[in-house]
Amino acid sequence: MDSLTLTHQLATPVALGGFSLLLLLFLLRLRPTFFTHKRSKLPPVPEVPGLPVIGNLLQLKEKKPHKTFTRMADKYGPIYSIRTGASTLIVLNNTHVAKEAMVTRFPSISTRKLSNALTMLTSDKCMVATSDYNEFHKMVKKHILTNVLGANAQKRNRCHREAMMENILRQFNEHAKTSSDLAVNFRKIFVSELFVLALKQALGNNVESIYVEELGGTLSREDMHKILVADLMEGAIEVDWRDFFPYLKWIPNKSMVMKIQKLVIRRKALMKALMNEQRKRMASGKEINCFLDYMLSEAKELTEEQISMLVWETIIETSDTTLVTTEWAMYELAKDKNRQERLYKELQDVCGHEKFTEDQINDPPYLGAIFHETLRKHSPVPIVPLRYVHEDTELGGYHIPAGSEIAINIYGCNMDNNRWENPYQWMPERFLDEKHDPMDLYKTMAFGAGKRVCAGSLQATSIACTAIGRLVQEFEWELEQGEEDNEDTLGLTTNKLHPLLVKLKPRNQ
């Protein structure tokens, strides 16, 4: 969250003068309520640098608020409040109080609070992941579970996942045979095949290219991934200073709005073209069991835009967070040969010389430990999208007034020294301890909890665990020189800033 955007947008003396007057009037109006209303019962507030109206925004300028919040937790405790412009944000950095918010106090904190960028990108919450918990959310989540993410749907789509895995291994094997001395870009291969899987599940076909009239040309699969996934993940973290000063929403922020509108227009045009192609297929009598066909047949109550958004949601969510987890897991294993060999030996004990399959992902205990430890240290979604407190409630023994916003810092929960020994170290062995139930997918909070638990947890687990197992079964992994400390992240999820570069050696040589 870059508070310097505020200065940039209000650069002229006239604007600054008017802005200062408005802030002063707002503070005078606010003082009798905010600064006195049950303040003693609120979580402790970190000291505010600079102008009080700016609050803690300057401390969040690095655009990695999950790390800033975690550092604050070391000083102020697991629950505290900060000022983000005109809003009070309650930050939760402890698993116990996070689960309290997501489960026990859910009826009081069930509303999403989206930034202006996310509101535009999601067509005002027209997605399962970003909608408020209401009848629309329940209906569309049921549709997605029925055709894409539920247990029965996963069985139907297994052939697509198996084809994806074979294509990934084929490309890695080709590289190992022809360029064994050179590092391979893990992400380039993995993300391409993961996107193919997303297209097959959503649209029924592996679309290699498509003509989009509104965009004036034919798009390759790489172009499609950029428009439907990469650009929109980047746009999701775009900062609009009006998010923090809603009483000034009448002041235009044209550069930000135009940037997001361009992304939305491109996505809509591409999704329209993709859906029209599939309608032609359906009109010819060829039926495919995919999400679009299902939605056009079963979701008569939804508009064309809503169906387009939900089909797109399955594409972007399949294409991103599973990549994040798998890439970080392979980075850690390539970095640690001893742990890599331990996993390989367990895989041999489970399946010998046969191919490891997703039927066996619960058999090697160490594989599950690696998966959960990667989710813990490299939380794919480090902060749950903000929630709005619509009635007075209590969290962690503190009074939380209506109108507050809640940030659940999953990263902070997983870096809590009181729960995790040496939390900044990657140690899968911690999940072999009897106190950790091996079947509990939510021990690291990566999939959330309660009524808004992640619908895609089953698919994410199947893809990531099967991929990790097959990749270690087939190859010895070694980091490219200089890659050991490349742990920086970028974007809304914790994508590696630099793609994973590794050297591969086939184990059957």
Side-chain angles (χ1 to χ4, degrees):
M1 300 179 183
D2 191 351
S3 60
L4 295 179
T5 306
L6 175 62
T7 304
H8 175 72
Q9 295 293 334
L10 302 172
T12 68
V14 174
L16 282 173
F19 180 60
S20 299
L21 177 61
L22 285 167
L23 294 184
L24 178 61
L25 291 172
F26 174 77
L27 283 174
L28 291 174
R29 178 174 63 84
L30 190 65
R31 183 177 296 277
T33 55
F34 177 78
F35 291 103
T36 60
H37 179 63
K38 297 184 179 180
R39 179 173 180 177
S40 62
K41 294 185 179 181
L42 282 171
V45 183
E47 58 189 60
V48 178
L51 293 173
V53 72
I54 299 297
N56 300 89
L57 288 178
L58 293 176
Q59 294 167 288
L60 303 176
K61 62 184 180 181
E62 66 173 332
K63 286 194 175 182
K64 293 178 184 175
H66 58 287
K67 293 191 175 181
T68 304
F69 290 158
T70 302
R71 290 193 293 269
M72 286 181 174
D74 292 338
K75 183 175 182 180
Y76 299 104
I79 176 172
Y80 53 80
S81 65
I82 65 173
R83 289 291 306 281
T84 53
S87 302
T88 300
L89 183 66
I90 312 299
V91 186
L92 313 181
N93 301 273
N94 169 279
T95 299
H96 175 75
V97 74
K99 285 186 176 180
E100 185 180 358
M102 289 191 278
V103 182
T104 310
R105 307 296 179 185
F106 179 78
S108 303
I109 319 173
S110 61
T111 305
R112 289 294 197 204
K113 181 73 172 181
L114 301 185
S115 66
N116 288 334
L118 276 175
T119 299
M120 294 170 66
L121 290 171
T122 65
S123 293
D124 195 15
K125 302 183 179 180
C126 187
M127 293 174 64
V128 175
T130 60
S131 63
D132 294 331
Y133 187 76
N134 51 26
E135 292 306 312
F136 173 81
H137 174 88
K138 295 174 187 177
M139 173 185 63
V140 295
K141 186 173 183 177
K142 181 180 178 181
H143 284 317
I144 286 181
L145 285 171
T146 299
N147 188 263
V148 183
L149 299 176
N152 290 332
Q154 287 294 292
K155 291 177 183 177
R156 290 195 303 270
N157 289 324
R158 178 169 175 170
C159 59
H160 298 320
R161 296 193 298 277
E162 289 177 341
M164 178 195 77
M165 200 65 245
E166 293 305 319
N167 286 334
I168 290 171
L169 289 166
R170 175 182 53 77
Q171 292 179 68
F172 282 143
N173 269 305
E174 289 176 357
H175 176 88
K177 291 177 181 178
T178 60
S179 309
S180 59
D181 294 334
L182 300 177
V184 63
N185 185 326
F186 174 89
R187 185 186 303 175
K188 184 176 181 180
I189 292 175
F190 196 86
V191 76
S192 176
E193 293 301 326
L194 199 57
F195 187 57
V196 170
L197 170 67
L199 293 175
K200 287 180 177 179
Q201 290 185 159
L203 303 169
N205 289 320
N206 169 19
V207 184
E208 296 186 0
S209 64
I210 190 166
Y211 177 75
V212 183
E213 182 178 357
E214 292 92 331
L215 301 183
T218 299
L219 303 180
S220 66
R221 189 189 300 143
E222 187 175 332
D223 295 328
M224 288 187 279
H225 181 270
K226 179 173 172 57
I227 292 172
L228 297 180
V229 181
D231 286 351
L232 295 171
M233 292 302 294
E234 182 179 340
I237 61 172
E238 187 69 23
V239 176
D240 183 350
W241 55 264
R242 295 174 302 178
D243 290 330
F244 311 112
F245 305 99
Y247 48 88
L248 298 177
K249 62 183 179 181
W250 52 271
I251 300 177
N253 187 356
K254 291 183 179 179
S255 62
M256 174 269 171
V257 171
M258 289 178 64
K259 179 177 180 178
I260 301 301
Q261 283 181 340
K262 182 179 179 181
L263 299 179
V264 171
I265 289 169
R266 287 167 62 81
R267 179 195 63 202
K268 284 185 175 180
L270 177 52
M271 286 302 301
K272 178 183 175 181
L274 289 168
M275 290 171 63
N276 284 342
E277 280 296 306
Q278 298 312 311
R279 280 193 168 95
K280 292 177 184 177
R281 166 185 55 78
M282 295 169 68
S284 71
K286 184 178 181 181
E287 296 183 359
I288 297 178
N289 183 17
C290 67
F291 192 47
L292 176 61
D293 289 35
Y294 167 84
M295 291 295 280
L296 292 175
S297 171
E298 302 296 327
K300 302 294 187 182
E301 67 278 26
L302 298 179
T303 66
E304 177 81 5
E305 181 180 13
Q306 288 173 327
I307 290 175
S308 176
M309 284 295 300
L310 292 165
V311 172
W312 167 70
E313 181 178 13
T314 67
I315 294 173
I316 191 170
E317 291 178 0
T318 297
S319 301
D320 187 74
T321 52
T322 307
L323 162 70
V324 173
T325 301
T326 310
E327 187 172 30
W328 278 119
M330 298 314 299
Y331 163 84
E332 296 286 1
L333 287 167
K335 186 177 178 180
D336 192 325
K337 287 294 186 67
N338 291 331
R339 288 185 166 114
Q340 185 183 152
E341 289 308 305
R342 175 174 177 176
L343 174 59
Y344 176 66
K345 289 178 181 177
E346 280 200 13
L347 293 169
Q348 282 186 307
D349 291 341
V350 168
C351 53
H353 297 293
E354 299 296 320
K355 292 180 180 179
F356 180 74
T357 71
E358 62 182 55
D359 291 329
Q360 301 164 309
I361 60 175
N362 292 319
D363 294 336
Y366 202 53
L367 176 60
I370 286 168
F371 175 66
H372 288 295
E373 177 66 349
T374 303
L375 289 176
R376 186 199 65 80
K377 184 183 175 187
H378 305 286
S379 309
V381 182
I383 296 181
V384 174
L386 296 186
R387 295 188 182 183
Y388 183 76
V389 181
H390 44 78
E391 61 184 21
D392 288 1
T393 189
E394 186 177 296
L395 284 175
Y398 292 103
H399 171 79
I400 308 297
S404 303
E405 296 174 15
I406 300 289
I408 301 174
N409 185 12
I410 300 298
Y411 176 85
C413 294
N414 291 334
M415 294 297 135
D416 183 358
N417 280 294
N418 294 319
R419 187 176 186 210
W420 307 100
E421 181 182 355
N422 299 319
Y424 291 93
Q425 293 184 26
W426 188 76
M427 299 189 303
E429 295 77 19
R430 71 174 87 240
F431 285 102
L432 298 178
D433 192 298
E434 292 181 357
K435 68 181 180 181
H436 292 295
D437 180 359
M439 300 305 291
D440 181 8
L441 288 177
Y442 310 108
K443 56 174 71 74
T444 62
M445 307 292 289
F447 298 112
K451 294 180 179 180
R452 293 212 63 132
V453 69
C454 176
S457 60
L458 181 59
Q459 175 171 277
T461 303
S462 294
I463 293 174
C465 288
T466 304
I468 295 165
R470 285 295 304 276
L471 293 170
V472 170
Q473 185 185 41
E474 296 274 346
F475 303 101
E476 294 178 32
W477 293 75
E478 179 183 347
L479 289 178
E480 171 75 322
Q481 187 174 0
E483 285 289 301
E484 292 81 2
D485 298 320
N486 269 344
E487 294 198 19
D488 206 358
T489 62
L490 175 71
L492 182 65
T493 53
T494 54
N495 253 306
K496 282 181 95 285
L497 177 60
H498 305 287
L500 175 61
L501 301 178
V502 283
K503 292 183 178 180
L504 304 176
K505 180 180 178 182
R507 291 189 183 271
N508 58 5
Q509 287 186 351

